[in-house]
């Protein structure tokens, strides 16, 4: 019996925090990948940006389109041929205490030699009007299969108890 | 096996509850397909954790209705964690909403519980699609989840399925 969604890796940030978090040596045996994250950052802010890159590649080969809501306004935008792309958000230290943002990254056909596409849906929460809710589609114009996914917080570090879970999804 | 069906909730009336949720998974996911008997569209499905009726929740949304997009803080200090729109009894016959709700780290006693949902329905001329969030300002593990309309869910159509999702013990660091 084929297992459709298989847990691959999970990382939980310890007491020292984490300046980046990477999944390395990702098995190339699945069809798609999915990462679910519950995280908070150390720096001040109700919602802080998270950079996502693949294969430790920060070259200007990323493009992104997004739709965002802040609890009071909406916006949509895009970046082309960019490196170090902000793809999502988590809560920061001035969000409600003990509240961690939640996002899911879906990366289909990650072993393909074509440009890879990913989508992320992300929410932060706060006992107040201001939050960040974001839908992001990102292209990675590399012919290399994805073997590393790296998350880098704009707010200094991910705090203790932040969790990152990687799953492999198999078709057929 | 990483995603396991736990229970299905069905039937009409108001709030219904998944009880005695196993504490052996890492995350929870709820999949719903609903319609309300109330003759007003949209109606709303509400969610509550551990039967808490205190003002311990807040929620937000980013959604479009086919004409415009909005993002709002529903209210602060609510007694329900998340609310998603659904067709009422006066809507196009047979149409229900489609909703997926994710609740990460539901047993973690250091975190307030945050829910994330994607939800939408289309009535061939109107509808809603959106990203919804809510938090329960309580670090207790979730042992029950209440779902339902403030009015009366359609017994013939209400369905909510609860799944448990496990995670790996390998870090890949």
């Amino acid at each position: 019996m084929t297992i459709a969604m298989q847990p691959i890796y999970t990382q939980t940030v310890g007491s020292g925090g984490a300046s980046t978090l990477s999944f390395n040596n990702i098995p190339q045996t699945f069809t798609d990948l999915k990462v679910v994250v519950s995280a908070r950052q150390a720096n001040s802010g109700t919602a802080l940006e998270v950079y996502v890159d693949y294969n430790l590649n920060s070259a200007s080969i990323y493009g992104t389109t997004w739709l965002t809501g802040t609890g009071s306004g909406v916006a949509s935008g895009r970046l082309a041929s960019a490196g170090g792309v902000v793809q999502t958000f988590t809560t920061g230290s001035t969000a409600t205490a003990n509240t961690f943002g939640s996002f899911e990254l879906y990366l289909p056909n990650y072993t393909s030699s074509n440009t890879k596409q990913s989508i992320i849906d992300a929410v932060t929460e706060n006992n107040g009007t201001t939050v960040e809710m974001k839908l992001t589609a990102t292209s990675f114009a590399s012919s290399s299969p994805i073997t590393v996914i790296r998350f880098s917080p704009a707010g200094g570090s991910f705090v203790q108890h932040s969790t990152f879970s990687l799953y492999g999804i198999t078709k057929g | 096996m990483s995603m396991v069906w736990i229970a299905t909730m069905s039937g009409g009336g108001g709030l219904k509850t998944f009880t005695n949720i196993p504490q052996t998974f890492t995350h929870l996911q709820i999949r719903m397909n609903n319609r309300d008997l109330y003759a007003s569209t949209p109606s709303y499905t509400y969610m509550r954790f551990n039967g808490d009726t205190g003002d311990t929740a807040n929620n937000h949304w980013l959604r479009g209705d086919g004409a415009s997009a909005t993002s709002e803080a529903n209210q602060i200090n609510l007694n329900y964690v998340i609310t998603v729109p659904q067709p009422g009894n006066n809507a196009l016959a047979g149409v229900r909403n489609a909703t997926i709700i994710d609740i990460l780290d539901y047993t973690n006693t250091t975190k307030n519980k945050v829910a994330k949902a994607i939800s939408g329905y289309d009535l061939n001329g109107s509808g809603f699609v959106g990203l919804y969030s809510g938090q329960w300002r309580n670090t207790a593990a979730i042992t029950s989840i209440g779902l339902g309309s403030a009015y009366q869910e359609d017994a013939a159509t209400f369905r909510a399925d609860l799944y448990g999702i496990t995670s790996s013990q390998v870090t890949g660091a």
Side-chain angles (χ1 to χ4, degrees):
Chain A
M1 179 182 69
T2 300
I3 296 174
M5 189 167 88
Q6 175 71 43
I8 304 175
Y9 301 132
T10 297
Q11 295 189 41
T12 302
V13 176
S15 59
S19 58
T20 62
L21 188 135
S22 297
F23 291 117
N24 303 308
N25 301 310
I26 296 172
Q28 301 294 291
T29 53
F30 300 99
T31 309
D32 307 326
L33 295 176
K34 169 174 158 172
V35 185
V36 295
V37 176
S38 170
R40 184 179 176 99
Q41 296 184 47
N43 282 13
S44 176
T46 54
L48 297 173
E49 297 169 331
V50 177
Y51 297 88
V52 184
D53 60 50
Y54 304 113
N55 298 347
L56 305 180
N57 189 333
S58 58
S60 299
I61 55 173
Y62 297 83
T64 185
T65 302
W66 69 82
L67 171 66
T68 187
T70 63
S72 58
V74 295
S76 184
R78 69 170 63 93
L79 276 175
S81 301
V85 172
V86 173
Q87 293 197 40
T88 188
F89 283 82
T90 66
T91 52
S93 68
T94 52
T96 306
N98 303 318
T99 297
F100 289 62
S102 175
F103 71 82
E104 177 174 318
L105 179 154
Y106 181 62
L107 186 56
N109 293 320
Y110 69 105
T111 65
S112 169
S113 59
N114 297 322
T115 293
K116 264 65 75 182
Q117 291 284 342
S118 64
I119 54 171
I120 299 179
D121 58 286
V123 302
T124 64
E125 261 298 333
N126 184 40
N127 189 24
T129 300
T130 303
V131 293
E132 195 77 35
M133 313 179 74
K134 190 167 187 175
L135 298 169
T136 309
T138 301
S139 63
F140 174 55
S142 168
S143 60
S144 300
I146 291 173
T147 59
V148 181
I149 302 174
R150 179 172 61 182
F151 300 92
S152 302
S157 61
F158 295 115
V159 303
Q160 185 182 21
H161 306 302
S162 296
T163 59
F164 296 73
S165 303
L166 174 68
Y167 297 86
I169 297 170
T170 304
K171 68 176 183 180
Chain B
M1 189 74 66
S2 69
M3 185 166 165
V4 177
W5 172 81
I6 299 174
T8 291
M9 181 195 294
S10 60
L15 197 70
K16 295 163 284 292
T17 305
F18 289 116
T19 58
N20 300 312
I21 294 173
Q23 301 293 291
T24 51
F25 300 99
T26 309
H27 313 305
L28 296 175
Q29 185 174 93
I30 298 170
R31 298 184 170 224
M32 300 196 297
N33 190 218
N34 299 331
R35 183 184 176 92
D36 205 315
L37 283 177
Y38 187 62
S40 178
T41 297
S43 175
Y44 293 90
T45 296
Y46 300 87
M47 182 170 73
R48 185 174 285 156
F49 293 151
N50 292 11
D52 187 354
T53 58
D55 292 336
T56 54
N58 44 261
N59 59 64
H60 301 80
W61 66 65
L62 165 64
R63 74 183 186 195
D65 63 5
S68 63
T70 59
S71 179
E72 296 179 39
N74 189 9
Q75 288 183 51
I76 313 305
N77 293 328
L78 300 173
N79 61 17
Y80 49 86
V81 177
I82 210 163
T83 174
V84 292
Q86 61 181 346
N89 199 36
N90 60 342
L92 185 66
V95 176
R96 317 178 198 182
N97 72 357
T99 302
I100 300 175
I101 303 173
D102 286 296
I103 306 161
L104 304 186
D105 295 335
Y106 73 104
T107 67
N108 188 310
T109 56
T110 63
K111 295 180 173 181
N112 290 338
K113 303 305 177 285
V114 172
K116 171 174 66 70
I118 55 172
S119 181
Y121 65 86
D122 183 270
L123 300 174
N124 196 31
S126 64
F128 278 108
V129 62
L131 177 63
Y132 299 83
S133 69
Q135 73 161 331
W136 182 44
R137 298 188 306 277
N138 193 314
T139 58
I142 294 172
T143 58
S144 71
I145 299 174
L147 291 164
S149 167
Y151 307 106
Q152 189 172 18
E153 296 287 354
D154 186 341
T157 62
F158 179 83
R159 194 196 96 212
D161 302 319
L162 177 66
Y163 296 86
I165 299 171
T166 58
S167 59
S168 172
Q169 299 302 309
V170 182
T171 66

